[in-house]
């Protein structure tokens, strides 16, 4: 999510808007923006506190304050700062995997599009900046991050946690897609 925030403030212009997102004010938390992009018979929704895909019957979101991905049960996207428990299911099952699938497809397509627009060094710069922020959790370098997202999309049943992905003792080395 940090990387997408960096896309929004890129020196050559807002990369989210350049890739088709519409910016709108937040309905919940004030002082922030939400972004929406039509995607796979629904829409990608990005906000500082969540990212996900919503369709006519719900969707899949990563909600940062909850620290997890959830299957969103409402037809309207979350309102930043409001996560009523009856609006989501957090069980890690096939339904959740299916609900987050469009988000993962978009994530990979967006990263490829951004690399075409401004070069692959942009993600490397984002990664270096993120690593230098105080109190941040370690994340994968861009190459391993894309491989992990691809594995999550295609083979979630054997996906190790991101912090273990690509480690020498992991069965999913750097060369694994």
């Amino acid at each position: 999510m940090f990387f997408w925030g960096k896309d929004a403030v890129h020196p050559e212009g807002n990369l989210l808007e350049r890739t088709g997102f519409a910016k709108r004010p937040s309905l919940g938390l004030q002082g922030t923006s939400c972004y929406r992009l039509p995607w796979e018979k629904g829409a990608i929704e990005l906000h500082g506190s969540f990212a996900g895909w919503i369709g006519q019957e719900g969707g899949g979101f990563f909600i940062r304050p909850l620290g997890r991905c959830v299957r969103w049960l409402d037809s309207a996207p979350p309102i930043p700062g409001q996560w009523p428990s009856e609006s989501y299911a957090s069980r890690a099952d096939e339904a959740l995997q299916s609900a987050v699938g469009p988000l993962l497809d978009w994530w990979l397509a967006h990263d490829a599009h951004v690399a075409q627009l401004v070069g692959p060094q942009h993600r490397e710069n984002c990664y270096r900046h993120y690593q230098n922020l105080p109190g941040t959790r370690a994340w994968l370098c861009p190459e391993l991050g894309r491989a992990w997202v691809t594995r999550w999309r295609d083979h979630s049943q054997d996906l190790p946690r991101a912090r273990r992905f690509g480690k020498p003792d992991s069965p999913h080395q750097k060369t694994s897609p």
Side-chain angles (χ1 to χ4, degrees):
M1 291 171 71
F2 175 83
F3 292 8
W4 302 326
K6 293 304 244 178
D7 290 353
V9 297
H10 192 273
E12 294 179 23
N14 184 324
L15 299 177
L16 296 174
E17 290 179 327
R18 286 177 63 190
T19 59
F21 277 89
K23 183 178 179 179
R24 58 188 171 81
S26 172
L27 297 176
L29 302 172
Q30 298 306 307
T32 61
S33 297
C34 293
Y35 290 88
R36 176 173 256 222
L37 173 76
W39 187 262
E40 294 184 13
K41 298 181 182 178
I44 298 295
E45 294 273 338
L46 301 179
H47 187 278
S49 61
F50 68 79
W53 176 85
I54 190 79
Q56 289 183 346
E57 297 180 16
F61 286 85
F62 173 75
I63 300 178
R64 193 168 47 146
L66 299 178
R68 68 182 56 202
C69 283
V70 300
R71 187 167 50 93
W72 194 253
L73 305 174
D74 290 338
S75 60
I79 294 174
Q82 298 176 24
W83 328 111
S85 60
E86 64 274 5
S87 295
Y88 66 88
S90 59
R91 185 173 180 197
D93 58 13
E94 287 181 27
L96 176 60
Q97 181 65 24
S98 178
V100 297
L103 173 66
L104 303 178
D105 290 340
W106 166 81
W107 186 342
L108 294 167
H110 177 74
D111 256 21
H113 195 176
V114 165
Q116 288 177 340
L117 286 173
V118 295
Q121 72 282 356
H122 172 62
R123 281 291 178 255
E124 294 294 333
N125 292 339
C126 292
Y127 178 69
R128 279 192 294 282
H129 186 193
Y130 184 76
Q131 284 185 304
N132 290 326
L133 293 174
T136 57
R137 290 178 153 174
W139 178 241
L140 300 168
C141 69
E143 179 184 353
L144 281 177
R146 284 185 297 276
W148 186 81
V149 171
T150 301
R151 172 74 61 160
W152 181 12
R153 182 191 66 190
D154 299 342
H155 304 286
S156 65
Q157 68 279 4
D158 64 355
L159 180 71
R161 289 200 169 272
R163 69 176 175 259
R164 302 280 312 139
F165 191 80
K167 301 284 184 200
D169 61 342
S170 170
H172 307 287
Q173 300 278 327
K174 184 176 180 178
T175 58
S176 294

